[in-house]
Amino acid sequence: MQLSVIILNYNVRYFLELCVLSVQKAIQNLDAEIIVIDNNSSDDSCAIMKQCFPNIKLIENKENSGFPKGNNIAVKEAKGEYICILNPDTVVAEDTFEKVLAFAKSKSDLGIVGCKLIDGTGNFLPESKRGIPTPNVAFTKIFGLYKLFPKSSLFNKYYAQHLDENQTGKVDILVGAFMVMKRELYNQLEGFDENCFMYADDIDLSYRALLLQKQNYYFHETTVIHYKGESTVKDGTYMKRFQEAMNFFYKKHFKVSVFFSMFMKMGIVFFSFVKMFQGKPKAKVSPSCFVLVSDNETTREKLEAKLQKNTERTILENGKIVFSQTFSEKKNTEVILDTNYLSFADAISFFETNKNKSFTFKLLPMQSNFIIGSNSSNDRGEIVVFSHSLQSQ
C-alpha cells in the first residue's frame, strides 16, 4: 500500500466530514487507506463516520489521550509505505497526495514533507514552514523581530523566511496539520513523544528527524486549507499547554542558563497572553448577500429559503465569479462554493485568488446538509445545518 492518511479527531464532526470527503477524492488513484482515530468526542463524530463512511477504519479511544498518543495508536494500524498526519479541520485538493508522494520519492534523504497551508480566508499560514526554535530564534518570535526585520537573516528564521511561500525547499520544522513521511521513519523515531500533550509535538518530531541526518522539506506545489481556529482556540487552557509545550521542548533538546530559562519563561507567558488576546472572538458581521457558485438552481432556492437573504447563483469563468450588477455593488458578500460542481482544487484556488477582498467563503460539501467555513484563523468556524441535503439527487 502506498499511503495511509491518519486523521485524529476531537469534537469537530462537520469539519471531519468535509476533510474525509476531500481525502477520499484525493486517494482515488492511489493504493491508500484512511484511518480516523477519535479521542473520545462528545459530539456525533463517530456516528457520522459509521453512517457515511463505513469502509473507513475508525478507532474509538475511550479518553482524550492527546495528539501524540492518538496518532501513535493509529500509525500502529497503518499499512502504507508513507503516512500522512492530517488535521480533521483541513481540506486537501484532488492531486495533493499524488504531487507530494512524487516529490517525496525523488528525495534520497527524506525526512518529513509539509505543504502550503492557507486559512479559511485564503491567507497563507506562516507556520507551514519554520526554523528550529532555539532560544535565540524564539526570542525573535516572541518579541516580533521577524516582522520588523523580515529581510534580515538574523531575525527571519522562525518562519523560515529564506523561502517564499511559493518556493519549495529545505526547512527545519513542519506543522502537524499536514506531515508526510515514510512509515519506517515514523517508527524509527518512535512516533510523537507522548510526554507532550500537544503544540510542541510536531516541532519535536521534525527536529528529531533532522538529528537522524534526514532532511525536511516545504513543498509549495499543492495547497491545503487549514481551518486553524478549530484546533487552536486561544483560551486559558491553550496558554497553559503552550507554556508546557515550550518548556518540554527546551528541556529535552537544549542546555540553557538559569538566567535564560527565566527569561524564556517570562517570554512564553507574554507570548501566550498575546495569543490568547488575539483569539478573543471578534464581532461578526453578517453577510449582506450570498452568492452560490453552482450549476444547481434547486440548491440556490433551498439556500435562499434557509438563509432568508437574496442568494444569487453563478458559475466560475476562468476562476472568476461574474456578479450581477445588483450584487457587485454590495459589500460583505459570502461566497458559497458547491463542491458537487467544483473540485476541491478549484475551491482552494478560488480562496487564494480572492483573499483579502470583501468576500467570506463557505464550502458546501457534496451531498451534504450543511455549509461550513471560517472567517478567521483565531476563531472557531461557522456551520449552517439544514434539515435535508441541499443538492438534488
Side-chain angles (χ1 to χ4, degrees):
M1 181 174 287
Q2 295 170 278
L3 176 68
S4 297
V5 182
I6 311 295
I7 305 172
L8 176 65
N9 176 70
Y10 181 66
N11 284 334
V12 287
R13 168 254 190 270
Y14 290 101
F15 284 95
L16 173 64
E17 182 175 348
L18 173 62
C19 176
V20 171
L21 285 168
S22 73
V23 173
Q24 281 188 324
K25 288 277 189 178
I27 64 172
Q28 283 184 341
N29 299 324
L30 298 171
D31 180 15
E33 64 178 349
I34 303 172
I35 301 175
V36 172
I37 181 162
D38 185 80
N39 260 351
N40 197 29
S41 295
S42 57
D43 62 12
D44 61 343
S45 293
C46 292
I48 202 65
M49 285 297 104
K50 294 173 183 176
Q51 176 186 337
C52 298
F53 308 99
N55 296 324
I56 288 178
K57 184 175 183 61
L58 174 66
I59 302 172
E60 299 181 66
N61 284 345
K62 301 305 180 185
E63 62 179 3
N64 182 1
S65 53
F67 184 88
K69 186 174 182 179
N71 279 295
N72 289 346
I73 291 170
V75 173
K76 288 179 182 178
E77 302 293 324
K79 300 176 182 177
E81 178 185 0
Y82 291 86
I83 60 168
C84 176
I85 303 298
L86 186 68
N87 266 32
D89 53 350
T90 57
V91 179
V92 300
E94 284 79 0
D95 59 359
T96 288
F97 296 124
E98 292 180 33
K99 285 184 174 180
V100 171
L101 288 180
F103 176 79
K105 291 174 182 178
S106 72
K107 302 299 179 183
S108 59
D109 58 349
L110 183 71
I112 303 171
V113 181
C115 72
K116 184 179 182 181
L117 299 174
I118 61 172
D119 64 16
T121 69
N123 285 293
F124 176 68
L125 290 172
E127 63 268 22
S128 301
K129 52 182 181 66
R130 290 174 289 178
I132 301 169
T134 61
N136 289 338
V137 171
F139 177 89
T140 68
K141 163 66 175 174
I142 291 171
F143 291 97
L145 298 179
Y146 71 99
K147 292 181 180 179
L148 297 175
F149 307 99
K151 302 298 183 181
S152 169
S153 60
L154 183 63
F155 298 131
N156 67 10
K157 294 180 180 179
Y158 188 87
Y159 285 126
Q161 289 165 279
H162 68 285
L163 287 180
D164 182 78
E165 65 182 78
N166 294 315
Q167 182 182 5
T168 293
K170 296 179 180 181
V171 295
D172 293 323
I173 306 298
L174 297 161
V175 64
F178 184 99
M179 287 179 144
V180 172
M181 70 202 83
K182 283 193 172 183
R183 180 164 56 95
E184 179 184 15
L185 173 62
Y186 189 93
N187 291 333
Q188 186 178 358
L189 293 169
E190 298 182 345
F192 289 106
D193 190 329
E194 295 179 14
N195 292 313
C196 179
F197 189 83
M198 61 193 309
Y199 295 131
D201 35 49
D202 49 3
I203 300 174
D204 174 64
L205 190 73
S206 299
Y207 185 64
R208 287 189 285 122
L210 297 177
L211 294 179
L212 288 180
Q213 305 302 310
K214 300 296 183 180
Q215 183 58 62
N216 301 329
Y217 291 91
Y218 167 73
F219 180 69
H220 85 279
E221 294 180 33
T222 189
T223 302
V224 170
I225 300 171
H226 181 205
Y227 292 109
K228 186 181 172 185
E230 295 306 302
S231 53
T232 54
V233 175
K234 311 300 190 304
D235 55 13
T237 301
Y238 167 85
M239 185 183 74
K240 179 176 182 294
R241 287 182 175 165
F242 181 82
Q243 292 181 60
E244 292 172 349
M246 290 298 99
N247 285 330
F248 158 82
F249 183 74
Y250 286 119
K251 287 180 180 179
K252 181 174 180 178
H253 294 294
F254 296 99
K255 293 180 179 180
V256 295
S257 66
V258 174
F259 171 79
F260 201 84
S261 295
M262 293 177 61
F263 169 77
M264 285 305 303
K265 186 174 181 180
M266 292 172 59
I268 289 169
V269 171
F270 170 76
F271 180 58
S272 300
F273 270 113
V274 170
K275 279 292 187 182
M276 190 171 65
F277 175 78
Q278 289 176 341
K280 293 294 183 182
K282 298 178 181 178
K284 296 181 179 180
V285 179
S286 297
S288 58
C289 59
F290 295 87
V291 174
L292 171 68
V293 184
S294 175
D295 60 352
N296 193 320
E297 177 62 20
T298 301
T299 299
R300 186 203 67 79
E301 293 171 354
K302 291 180 179 179
L303 273 170
E304 189 169 72
K306 173 69 175 182
L307 298 172
Q308 295 293 299
K309 285 189 178 180
N310 290 337
T311 303
E312 178 177 326
R313 182 177 66 84
T314 188
I315 59 174
L316 286 184
E317 295 183 8
N318 297 320
K320 296 181 180 180
I321 290 180
V322 179
F323 292 103
S324 68
Q325 184 174 356
T326 302
F327 275 70
S328 64
E329 296 172 352
K330 293 186 177 181
K331 296 182 178 180
N332 301 322
T333 299
E334 181 135 290
V335 180
I336 302 170
L337 302 164
D338 181 357
T339 63
N340 205 53
Y341 162 67
L342 295 164
S343 68
F344 285 109
D346 285 338
I348 292 168
S349 177
F350 182 83
F351 276 38
E352 289 192 276
T353 303
N354 294 279
K355 64 184 177 183
N356 301 325
K357 296 182 180 178
S358 58
F359 298 143
T360 54
F361 308 116
K362 294 288 186 299
L363 293 180
L364 170 56
M366 64 280 288
Q367 302 304 328
S368 68
N369 69 330
F370 62 93
I371 57 175
I372 190 168
S374 174
N375 301 339
S376 169
S377 296
N378 291 320
D379 299 338
R380 285 197 179 277
E382 297 177 343
I383 303 157
V384 180
V385 181
F386 300 78
S387 57
H388 301 287
S389 174
L390 285 167
Q391 296 136 329
S392 58
Q393 303 294 324

